[in-house]
Amino acid sequence: MKKIMSGNEAIARGAFEAGCLVAAAYPGTPSTEILENIAQYQEIYAEWAPNEKVAVEVVCGSSIGGARSLAAMKHVGLNVAADPLFTIAYEGVNGGLVLVSADDPGTHSSQNEQDNRLYAPFAKVAMLEPSDSQECKDFVKEAFALSEQFDTPVLFRVSTRVCHSKSLVELGERVEVGVKDYQKNIKKYIMVPAHSKVRHFDVEERLLALQAYANRSTLNRIEWGKKKIGIITSGISYQHAKEVFGDKASYLKIGFSHPLPDKMIKSFAKAVDKLYVVEEGEPYLENAVRALGINCIGKEFIPRCGELTPQIIRQALLPSKKTASYQTDLTIPARPPVLCAGCPHRGIFYAVSKHKDVIATGDIGCYTLGMAPPLNVTDIVICMGAGISAGLGFKRAAMQGGRTDKVFGFIGDSTFYHSGITGLIDAVYNNTPMVTVILDNSITAMTGHQENPGTGKTLQGKPAPVIDIEGLVKAVGIQEKNIRVVDPYDLTATKKAVQEAYDATEPFVIITKQPCALLKPVQKKRAQLHCVIDQEKCTKCKSCLRIGCPAISFKNDQMNIDQASCNGCTLCRQVCKFDAIEKVGE
């Protein structure tokens, strides 16, 4: 049976058919739907982990225990998980182990644009790269088999267009491989120096065996067309190159991309007149080709930055044949990112914005948008968890310089569980007088409302213990006198908490608690609530615009509130000095 599937759906299907038994992930675009789909297969235990490092450690353990296991993450997540990756590469596997890295060329929803193919040679693991949904499913099955055959974790590298594009997939049956017996082997599974020195030699021998396999693997194939142009490519770049050149070129499509098939590359290069390397991101393939002493055309024409498209390839390599791509007569208006109407984060950012000398370090999530005008609160954003820890560093630098900068660090509930808690421990341990603001909206919002340890539900929606943030804050040592829990829709209470935090000389924590305005139960509960403006009382002072709510606008010479967007949070009413805004619908 064939079914139209996205790449992420197909990866999940491949794991199911391969007999995978354990899967873990932390949500992150473009990888999120992999675990959401795996969770629908009852045969696989699947969980949201607090972060990618934990997810990988979970599946490393289950692999050693004998179960085929898979972890998925977006590209920056692999940075978090790099520590266990590099060591499990030495230890090897028992049950097959697949680690999916979903890269985001073009930074559609990420803080950087990194090419995680480079992790494979660095960590010395095998790597596969599918080009469409059918290959996503088939390659995952192959990855589990290779993992067990060569005693290696397999890095399964995909990118946004492969993850989210849909194509036909031939479905197969699940193969029950069961759980392998575990044999105690401390020289393999305990990497103390005496053992890791030996295992390093094993890893190098394994790479040689993998390279020999790559040269005969059907995952790498040559498609002969006209030999005037030969193209070496992989992943989604293969699809783009085929769209541009069609049968006017020959292709070496690489699906097994570490170790690379050196003999196959040399043979292909000899057979064509001109050799192109078409790849997205870093010159991973091109550098390898050149290291073999083969001249080729690549990154001097094809950009290293941004997402690759057929149009970019066409303009780079066929400049005399520029053709227009798909066009419409529609003009999309510029729409800068902004906190949603009714977002519970707005109240705390508005309150902090009144203190113009505050330095604010932010984190990865909806609250990153606290940087946007008119709130303009956030000064620094680096990565998940750094909303607290970068603030600690800034505060320490200020103290070393004799400055009295007041530092507020912002972090969400899911991000606090992910890697923020260690920063708070550091603040307590080293007594750094910084304010931590934990924005608890009871969900992992920005990736599409996934559950987390604070939501009371598992990935499958089953009841789970709620890990209490206030209790954690107390447990790591924040004194009760330095903790405030506020409703960010209550602007008076929020301002009071911010002022107390501003005046504090010890580590201080504010926890704001209101669920995300886009959660379905919240939308249902607040469906009839909204605010209206009494135009006779309104002086057009525009104070209500300063909260940055997209439901409020000034047009036709008057202030307006879009009732379809407004959820009646009343922040606008609380900042109006003329009682011109009323809440209705209760």
Side-chain angles (χ1 to χ4, degrees):
M1 183 179 76
K2 290 187 177 181
K3 185 177 180 181
I4 294 177
M5 307 181 91
S6 70
N8 284 346
E9 291 171 321
I11 290 170
R13 180 71 191 187
F16 165 75
E17 293 184 9
C20 178
L21 290 170
V22 179
Y26 182 82
T29 306
S31 69
T32 305
E33 299 83 5
I34 296 171
L35 255 287
E36 290 179 332
N37 281 280
I38 283 180
Q40 297 175 23
Y41 298 109
Q42 300 301 316
E43 294 84 352
I44 305 175
Y45 167 78
E47 68 168 38
W48 289 132
N51 64 34
E52 298 85 355
K53 180 173 180 288
V54 173
V56 170
E57 289 163 348
V58 166
V59 299
C60 287
S62 57
S63 167
I64 292 171
R68 287 192 167 185
S69 305
L70 178 147
M73 64 215 80
K74 66 180 298 176
H75 62 302
V76 291
L78 195 54
N79 302 338
V80 181
D83 197 7
L85 167 65
F86 277 65
T87 303
I88 198 64
Y90 273 41
E91 297 192 10
V93 306
N94 185 18
L97 178 59
V98 177
L99 307 178
V100 182
S101 169
D103 293 7
D104 184 21
T107 58
H108 296 283
S109 59
S110 307
Q111 62 266 45
N112 73 20
E113 188 177 44
Q114 66 188 51
D115 187 337
N116 277 8
R117 292 180 299 175
L118 300 175
Y119 262 112
F122 193 15
K124 300 179 182 293
V125 298
M127 175 167 64
L128 304 189
E129 284 187 79
S131 295
D132 59 26
S133 296
Q134 181 69 57
E135 288 190 348
C136 281
K137 194 207 77 165
D138 295 341
F139 281 24
V140 164
K141 297 169 71 174
E142 186 72 17
F144 278 113
L146 288 171
S147 175
E148 293 175 356
Q149 180 181 350
F150 290 95
D151 191 21
T152 177
V154 175
L155 185 63
F156 196 85
R157 193 260 187 176
V158 286
S159 58
T160 304
R161 292 302 148 196
V162 174
C163 290
H164 292 163
S165 296
K166 292 195 172 187
S167 58
L168 277 174
V169 177
E170 179 75 43
L171 303 185
E173 298 296 323
R174 175 176 170 85
V175 177
E176 294 292 354
V177 295
V179 179
K180 288 186 172 182
D181 292 337
Y182 165 72
Q183 300 292 332
K184 185 179 178 70
N185 186 345
I186 62 171
K187 292 185 177 179
K188 184 174 190 293
Y189 295 128
I190 298 179
M191 283 305 101
V192 294
H195 298 167
S196 59
K197 288 174 184 174
V198 176
R199 288 297 295 178
H200 190 181
F201 287 94
D202 295 339
V203 169
E204 296 300 332
E205 288 184 9
R206 182 180 72 199
L207 288 172
L208 292 175
L210 283 167
Q211 185 163 48
Y213 178 84
N215 280 300
R216 62 178 188 273
S217 172
T218 55
L219 301 178
N220 300 321
R221 68 172 187 261
I222 294 175
E223 298 176 5
W224 291 116
K226 293 183 178 178
K227 295 186 177 179
K228 188 173 182 181
I229 295 175
I231 298 174
I232 298 176
T233 185
S234 67
I236 193 62
S237 300
Y238 163 75
Q239 304 287 3
H240 295 333
K242 289 281 285 190
E243 183 173 333
V244 173
F245 289 95
D247 59 3
K248 296 178 181 175
S250 296
Y251 303 88
L252 171 52
K253 179 189 179 303
I254 294 179
F256 190 117
S257 53
H258 188 260
L260 285 165
D262 54 344
K263 293 179 181 177
M264 189 180 284
I265 290 172
K266 289 177 181 177
S267 174
F268 180 76
K270 282 183 180 178
V272 297
D273 296 340
K274 184 185 290 186
L275 185 64
Y276 292 147
V277 176
V278 176
E279 59 186 325
E280 198 170 54
E282 299 298 317
Y284 171 74
L285 297 175
E286 181 181 340
N287 286 345
V289 170
R290 292 187 185 280
L292 294 171
I294 301 169
N295 192 26
C296 61
I297 297 169
K299 288 299 175 185
E300 66 265 46
F301 294 108
I302 297 175
R304 186 186 294 229
C305 303
E307 187 174 23
L308 206 56
T309 66
Q311 183 69 2
I312 291 173
I313 296 171
R314 190 175 289 114
Q315 290 180 358
L317 301 180
L318 299 172
S320 61
K321 295 184 178 180
K322 290 182 180 178
T323 58
S325 185
Y326 300 109
Q327 292 183 330
T328 70
D329 55 0
L330 297 175
T331 302
I332 301 173
R335 186 175 295 173
V338 64
L339 294 171
C340 302
C343 174
H345 300 333
R346 181 168 285 102
I348 183 70
F349 281 117
Y350 180 78
V352 175
S353 73
K354 297 303 171 186
H355 297 267
K356 302 300 182 187
D357 57 344
V358 160
I359 302 297
T361 51
D363 217 287
I364 305 299
C366 304
Y367 34 85
T368 306
L369 299 173
M371 69 178 182
L375 297 169
N376 297 314
V377 169
T378 311
D379 294 276
I380 299 166
V381 175
I382 301 175
C383 63
M384 297 185 78
I388 298 176
S389 49
L392 294 172
F394 191 96
K395 182 62 182 178
R396 283 295 166 185
M399 293 168 71
Q400 290 292 90
R403 303 200 311 260
T404 58
D405 301 330
K406 194 69 189 182
V407 178
F408 278 55
F410 292 84
I411 194 165
D413 50 335
S414 185
T415 320
F416 181 68
Y417 298 121
H418 178 280
S419 50
I421 189 169
T422 48
L424 188 62
I425 291 171
D426 188 290
V428 174
Y429 177 63
N430 292 298
N431 193 30
T432 304
M434 170 190 161
V435 180
T436 296
V437 185
I438 303 172
L439 307 159
D440 183 2
N441 63 1
S442 304
I443 203 70
T444 311
M446 202 166 191
T447 49
H449 288 171
Q450 287 74 37
E451 308 296 343
N452 67 49
T455 62
K457 293 181 180 177
T458 67
L459 169 58
Q460 293 81 5
K462 298 177 181 176
V466 175
I467 309 301
D468 177 52
I469 291 177
E470 185 180 359
L472 283 176
V473 169
K474 291 177 180 176
V476 303
I478 295 290
Q479 298 183 57
E480 194 156 357
K481 67 176 183 176
N482 292 329
I483 300 172
R484 300 292 182 274
V485 181
V486 298
D487 176 356
Y489 286 163
D490 183 343
L491 203 49
T492 300
T494 303
K495 284 181 175 178
K496 181 173 181 293
V498 168
Q499 184 62 54
E500 291 170 338
Y502 184 87
D503 295 335
T505 57
E506 298 174 328
F508 199 100
V509 172
I510 298 174
I511 303 170
T512 67
K513 293 183 73 70
Q514 267 289 351
C516 173
L518 299 184
L519 285 170
K520 287 182 180 178
V522 176
Q523 287 185 312
K524 186 176 180 180
K525 180 180 178 182
R526 306 183 73 90
Q528 304 303 317
L529 302 179
H530 55 269
C531 292
V532 296
I533 295 178
D534 184 334
Q535 298 296 342
E536 291 187 359
K537 291 183 179 178
C538 180
T539 64
K540 303 175 187 175
C541 71
K542 301 181 182 177
S543 292
C544 53
L545 288 177
R546 294 174 190 159
I547 64 172
C549 178
I552 305 175
S553 62
F554 182 73
K555 58 184 178 182
N556 300 325
D557 197 36
Q558 68 177 28
M559 302 306 305
N560 299 277
I561 294 178
D562 176 14
Q563 295 188 7
S565 301
C566 177
N567 75 349
C569 78
T570 75
L571 283 183
C572 55
R573 187 178 70 168
Q574 295 177 64
V575 302
C576 179
K577 299 177 181 177
F578 303 99
D579 295 325
I581 300 178
E582 297 177 1
K583 182 181 180 181
V584 299
E586 292 186 285

